[in-house]
Amino acid sequence: MTPEYRILTVLAALRLLLVPAYRSTDFEVHRNWMAITHSLPLEKWYLDETSEWTLDYPPLFAWFEWCLSQVARYIDPQMVQLESLNYASDACIIFQRSSVMVSELVLIAAVACACRGATEEKRVLMYLLILGSPGLLLVDHIHFQYNGMLLGLLLWSIIWIQEGRHIAGSIAFAVLVNMKHLYACLAPVYLIYLQRHYCRGPKAVQRFVALGAAVVAVCGVSFGPFVVAGQLPQILARLFPFGRGLCHAYWAANFWALYSCADKALAVILPRLGLPVTAPEAYMTGGLVQVTQFAVLPSPSPSITLLLVLLALLPCLFSLWQRPRPESFLPAAVYACLCSFMFGYHVHEKAILMVTIPMALAAADSQWNARQCFVLSTVGHVALMPLLFTEQEYPIKVGMHG
Amino acid sequence: MLPEMRRLLATCTFLTCRYVDSKSNNLSYWGLDYPPLSGYQSWLFGQAIRSIEPDAVALHTSHGYESPHSKFLMRLTVVVSDILVFFPAVLLCLRVFGGGKTVHEKQWWLLVVLLQPAALLIDHGHFQYNNITLGFAAGAAAAIAAGHDCWGSMLFCLSLNHKQMSMYYAPAFFAHLLGKCLQKPSMTQQVFGVAKLGLVVVATFAVCWAPFLASPGGALQVLHRLVPVKRGLYEDYVANFWCVTSPVFKWRRVYTQQALVTMCAGASLVAALPSMIHQIMSPSPRGLLMGMANSALAFFLFSYQVHEKSILLALLPVTLLAFDQPVVAAWLPVWAALSMYPLLRKDGLSIAYLACLLLWLAVVAPRSSLQSEQQSPVQTGHAYTQSKRSRRLGPRVGAKLVGVSGPQLLHYASLLSLLPAACIHVAQCFVQPPAQLLHLYDAAFVTLSFVHIFSTAVYFNVSQWSLFMSLVSKKHSKRS
C-alpha cells in the first residue's frame, strides 16, 4: 500500500468514527434542501418557507441536493419529506455523512492530480495538509457541510489554469460560483489573469469569445430555468441576505472583529471621559444574527465592505496585470480569498478554509510557503474551535490541534 | 456495558462488603463479579466521578443513569487506565523484546500492539477495563523475560486479581517459571527459587484480598461470585469449540453441568499441555509469549463459560510477537474482531468496527512491491520481511509451484481467507435470514472465526516446538 493510500485509509477511518458526532443545524439545512428539491417543482424551490432553513445557495447546488435526494428516497423516504423537520434517523445520518465523504472524492482527485510527479515526501505532505486538515474534518464531517467538494472544484480550476487549460479551468470556476457564490470573490483574479494571459495574441478575440461562451453556458444551465420561471429577483434576494449583519453570531477572525472590539472598547472608555454613548446591551456579542448599529464608530454597509475588499485586492490585481504568469495565479487566488475573508460582509469563520486549503497546494514548494501555511492554518483552526462546543467533542478538538 | 460499569462504580464507592447480596447491594442488577483489584479500581474511579457528578454513581438512584457528561467521564476513565497501565507495559515489552530492531520496525510494532481493533472496540466501544488486566500481564511477561521473576510474578498476580480471565495465562507463566527454576544448578537452588516465587504470589494475593480475609466467609463469597458455575457452557455466540459444535451435538442435553465443567477443564489442559511441557523443558522469552498465546487459545477454544471478549487474551501475546510472526499478528486481530461482530452489532458499533478495521488495514498493509524492492528488508518491518524462523515454516513447496515466495503466499492466503467473511457481511446487509434460522449470520461468523482461530492455535503450537527444535539443533551443531 502506498503512503497516500495509507493516509486515505486512516482519514476514511477517522471520518467513519465521526459519524455519530455532534451535528449542527447545517445538517437539518441540507436535509431540508434535499426535501425541497425532491418534493417541490422547480418554481417553488426558492419560495418555500416550510422550514426556517430556506434555500440560499445558487441553483447548481440545489441540483446537487436534488441528485442526493434521488438516492436518499430509497434509503429513508421520510428523509425527503418537507414536513420531516429536524428528522435524524440512523439511516438519514449515515446517508448524509456518507454523501459528504463521497463528494470529497472531488478534493481527493484534485490533490492526487496536483501531486503527480512529485517526490514521496511532497505527496505525503500535500495529502496530510489538505485532506488531513483539522479544519476540513471539523467543518465538513462534524459540523456538517460540503466544503470538501467545493474546495476540490476550486483546486481543479486552479490546477487547470496553471497547466494552461484555461477553458476547463474557467468552466470549473463557473460551476463553483454557481454552487456557492462566496467564491465570486475570486472573479477579479480570474478576469484579470485570463484577459492578460490567455486572451492575447492573434487568437485573442476567439479565445475571449470561447471563454465567455463557456461561462455563460454554465450560468445559463444554472439560472436559465429559474429566469424562465421569473424567479431571478427571489434567488438574488436569497443569495445576498444583507439583513444578517456585519458579523456572524460567532465572529470570524477578520478586520470587522477588531473593528467591533474597538467600538466596544470606545463604548466603555468614552463615557468615562464624559462623552455620552448609547450602546445596546450585548450588541454584536449576543449571539444573534441581525443588523446592529455600532455605538461609536460608523456602521459599514455592504457596499463599503465590497469597496474595501476591492481596495485590498488592488495591489494583487495590479501585479497580475503586469505579470500574468501561471505560478502567480495560485498565490493571487489565495490572496483574493483572504481579502474577502478579512473585509467581507457577514463572513463565517469557516471561510478560512478557502484560504488554508489552496494555500497548502503551494506549501510543499518552499520553506517560506510552508511557514506561511503553517501559521495561517494553525490560527485559522484555532478560530474554528467555537464551532464544537459540546463536551464529547472536546477531546476531538484537543486531539486535532495537538 | 456502560450500565454494568456504572453499577460497579456505584457499589464500590459506597459499600464495604461488595460481594454480598443484600438490600443495599442487589447482586442481580450487575453485581460485582471480578476480583478485588477491579473493585478497588472501580472505587477509585467512582470517587473521582462522584466529585464531579455525584448522581452518576449514587448507589440506588443511578440505575440506568446516562447523561452526556457521565458517559464522557466514564469513557475518560478507560483512556486514563490505558495511559497509566497499558501504555507503560507495552513500552516495557518493546524494550525487552525489541532489541536490535530498527526505528521503523519498532514504530510498526507499537502501532500493531496499541491499535489492535478488537481491544479498541471492546474497551472503548463496548466499555471494559481489559487494558488494565492485559497491561499487568504484558508487564509480567516483560519482567520475567528480562530476568526479574519476582516482579513478573507479582505483576501477573495483580493481573489475575484484576480479572480472573487472566487464569488463561497461568499455565504458561507457571510452566515457564518452573522451567527456569529447574534449570538452576542444584536442587537447593531449585527449591529456593520455587519457594521465593510462591511467597511473592501468596503475599500479593494476601495484600489484594486482605479486606475480605478479615471477615469470616468473605473470601468464599468472593470466590462464589468469581467462578460462574451456575452459568451455562457458553453465552450468546462465541467462536469456541462447544458453541460451534452445539448445532451438531447438543452437549448441554447429553451431559450434566458437573460433567461439562470437568470435560472443559480436561480439554483445556490437554490443549495447553504441549506448550507447557515445552516451556518446562526449555524456557525462553519468546517461548513465554508463545506459551501465553497457546495457553490463552487453548482455554478460549475449550473452556467453560467463555465470553467472546476472551479472545483479547490470545491477541495480546500474538501482537507482542509481531516481530517474529508479522503475518499472524496482522491477520488474527481481524478474525478476533469478526468473531465479536454479533456483540458489536448489538452495541451499535458496526460503523466503529468498520473504521477500526480500516485503521488496522492502514497499519498492517505491506508496502507496494516496488517500494519494498527499493527499501532494504530490515526497514520495511512487515509481512514481506521474514525472520529465518518463519521462512522455515512457510509453505515452501506450494510457493515454489506457484512462483511466489513463502511469505508472499502466506500473505495472499491470509487475504483470501477473509473473502468468505466479507461475503457474509455483504449478505447480512441485503439478505434476510430464514425465519427458522434467525441467528444464521451470527452462527456463520463464529463458525468461520473458530476455524481460523483453531488453525492459529495449531500453527502456534508447531511454531513453539520448532523454537525448541532449532535450539536443540544449535546445541548439537555446537557440540559437533
Side-chain angles (χ1 to χ4, degrees), chain B residues 276-297:
Chain B
M276 283 176 74
I277 293 172
H278 169 263
Q279 276 301 283
I280 293 175
M281 286 167 61
S282 151
S284 65
R286 289 233 161 8
L288 171 62
L289 287 179
M290 289 228 164
M292 282 169 73
N294 282 318
S295 174
L297 283 167

Side-chain angles (χ1 to χ4, degrees), chain A residues 163-284:
Chain A
E163 284 179 356
R165 295 161 69 178
H166 301 91
I167 305 270
S170 308
I171 292 178
F173 181 65
V175 168
L176 178 63
V177 174
N178 277 282
M179 289 190 95
K180 194 166 181 178
H181 49 300
L182 184 60
Y183 290 91
C185 61
L186 288 163
V189 171
Y190 273 82
L191 277 169
I192 302 277
Y193 178 81
L194 288 169
Q195 173 62 31
R196 294 288 293 163
H197 181 83
Y198 183 58
C199 300
R200 44 183 344 171
K203 290 192 184 169
V205 176
Q206 284 148 297
R207 288 180 176 182
F208 183 80
V209 168
L211 271 180
V215 171
V216 166
V218 172
C219 294
V221 163
S222 167
F223 280 87
F226 296 92
V227 169
V228 165
Q231 294 276 302
L232 192 59
Q234 174 64 10
I235 294 182
L236 290 174
R238 285 277 182 90
L239 293 189
F240 300 101
F242 290 120
R244 284 192 180 176
L246 180 64
C247 294
H248 188 48
Y250 284 133
W251 295 355
N254 66 1
F255 173 76
W256 302 118
L258 293 176
Y259 191 82
S260 308
C261 245
D263 185 78
K264 276 192 168 286
L266 286 171
V268 168
I269 294 169
L270 289 183
R272 295 199 185 165
L273 296 173
L275 294 159
V277 167
T278 44
E281 208 172 300
Y283 72 99
M284 303 299 291

Side-chain angles (χ1 to χ4, degrees), chain A residues 1-7 9-10 12-14 16-17 19-20 94 120 123 391-392 394-395, chain B residues 68-72 76 351-352 354-359 361-368 371:
Chain A
M1 199 188 248
T2 58
E4 298 95 291
Y5 278 117
R6 223 176 277 270
I7 293 171
T9 313
V10 171
L14 208 53
L16 280 174
L17 285 172
V19 165
I94 293 171
E120 189 178 292
R123 287 205 307 271
E391 205 163 53
Q392 276 135 302
Y394 186 74
Chain B
H69 193 53
S70 73
K71 269 179 17 180
F72 172 67
L76 204 58
I351 295 180
L354 181 62
C356 286
L357 285 182
L358 276 178
L359 197 61
L361 176 68
V363 168
V364 302
R367 285 177 159 241
S368 62
Q371 285 173 304

Side-chain angles (χ1 to χ4, degrees), chain A residues 6-325:
Chain A
R6 223 176 277 270
I7 293 171
L8 285 176
T9 313
V10 171
L11 293 177
L14 208 53
R15 279 143 169 78
L16 280 174
L17 285 172
L18 289 172
V19 165
Y22 160 78
R23 301 176 303 276
S24 72
T25 47
D26 275 338
F27 182 86
E28 167 61 14
V29 166
H30 290 281
R31 188 215 59 78
N32 186 48
W33 290 357
M34 275 201 297
I36 289 175
T37 52
H38 176 259
S39 315
L40 296 177
L42 197 130
E43 306 81 55
K44 298 242 174 80
W45 286 4
Y46 284 92
L47 291 172
D48 179 76
E49 283 178 8
T50 314
S51 161
E52 57 179 313
W53 311 117
T54 52
L55 188 52
D56 56 5
Y57 273 23
L60 278 185
F61 198 89
W63 282 112
F64 168 71
E65 294 280 9
W66 178 85
C67 290
L68 286 181
S69 72
Q70 296 310 302
V71 180
R73 66 179 186 169
Y74 294 110
I75 303 208
D76 186 350
Q78 221 183 322
M79 207 193 313
V80 290
Q81 300 306 318
L82 269 179
E83 306 77 37
S84 311
L85 296 180
N86 296 311
Y87 184 75
S89 69
D90 286 345
C92 175
I93 295 171
I94 293 171
F95 173 74
Q96 290 209 235
R97 291 271 194 220
S98 309
S99 67
V100 177
M101 289 184 232
V102 169
S103 63
E104 215 171 49
L105 285 171
V106 177
L107 183 61
I108 295 172
V111 174
C113 180
C115 292
R116 277 171 314 172
T119 59
E120 189 178 292
E121 283 85 8
K122 276 195 178 174
R123 287 205 307 271
V124 166
L125 186 66
M126 288 244 258
Y127 269 76
L128 285 175
L129 282 178
I130 297 179
L131 298 168
S133 155
L136 190 66
L137 198 69
L138 197 157
V139 174
D140 270 20
H141 298 277
I142 303 179
H143 186 81
F144 199 89
Q145 280 205 328
Y146 287 93
N147 292 303
M149 174 182 70
L150 298 169
L151 289 164
L153 272 173
L154 176 63
L155 291 191
W156 275 116
S157 173
I158 294 174
I159 290 167
W160 279 332
I161 296 270
Q162 286 190 307
E163 284 179 356
R165 295 161 69 178
H166 301 91
I167 305 270
S170 308
I171 292 178
F173 181 65
V175 168
L176 178 63
V177 174
N178 277 282
M179 289 190 95
K180 194 166 181 178
H181 49 300
L182 184 60
Y183 290 91
C185 61
L186 288 163
V189 171
Y190 273 82
L191 277 169
I192 302 277
Y193 178 81
L194 288 169
Q195 173 62 31
R196 294 288 293 163
H197 181 83
Y198 183 58
C199 300
R200 44 183 344 171
K203 290 192 184 169
V205 176
Q206 284 148 297
R207 288 180 176 182
F208 183 80
V209 168
L211 271 180
V215 171
V216 166
V218 172
C219 294
V221 163
S222 167
F223 280 87
F226 296 92
V227 169
V228 165
Q231 294 276 302
L232 192 59
Q234 174 64 10
I235 294 182
L236 290 174
R238 285 277 182 90
L239 293 189
F240 300 101
F242 290 120
R244 284 192 180 176
L246 180 64
C247 294
H248 188 48
Y250 284 133
W251 295 355
N254 66 1
F255 173 76
W256 302 118
L258 293 176
Y259 191 82
S260 308
C261 245
D263 185 78
K264 276 192 168 286
L266 286 171
V268 168
I269 294 169
L270 289 183
R272 295 199 185 165
L273 296 173
L275 294 159
V277 167
T278 44
E281 208 172 300
Y283 72 99
M284 303 299 291
T285 51
L288 297 173
V289 176
Q290 62 185 23
V291 179
T292 318
Q293 294 301 319
F294 284 89
V296 178
L297 299 169
S299 306
S301 68
S303 333
I304 299 287
T305 60
L306 180 62
L307 198 63
L308 281 170
V309 170
L310 288 172
L311 273 172
L313 256 181
L314 271 179
C316 165
L317 294 177
F318 184 70
S319 163
L320 210 55
W321 180 273
Q322 294 280 321
R323 281 182 300 276
R325 295 169 301 171

Side-chain angles (χ1 to χ4, degrees), chain B residues 37-60:
Chain B
L37 212 59
S38 261
Y40 305 144
Q41 163 240 306
S42 298
W43 176 83
L44 198 65
F45 289 140
Q47 293 301 314
I49 294 180
R50 188 182 170 199
S51 63
I52 304 172
E53 192 169 337
D55 287 340
V57 287
L59 184 55
H60 300 294

Side-chain angles (χ1 to χ4, degrees), chain B residues 142-160:
Chain B
I144 292 173
H148 305 291
D149 292 350
C150 289
W151 282 108
S153 305
M154 189 202 77
L155 285 169
F156 179 62
C157 290
L158 287 178
S159 174
L160 207 49

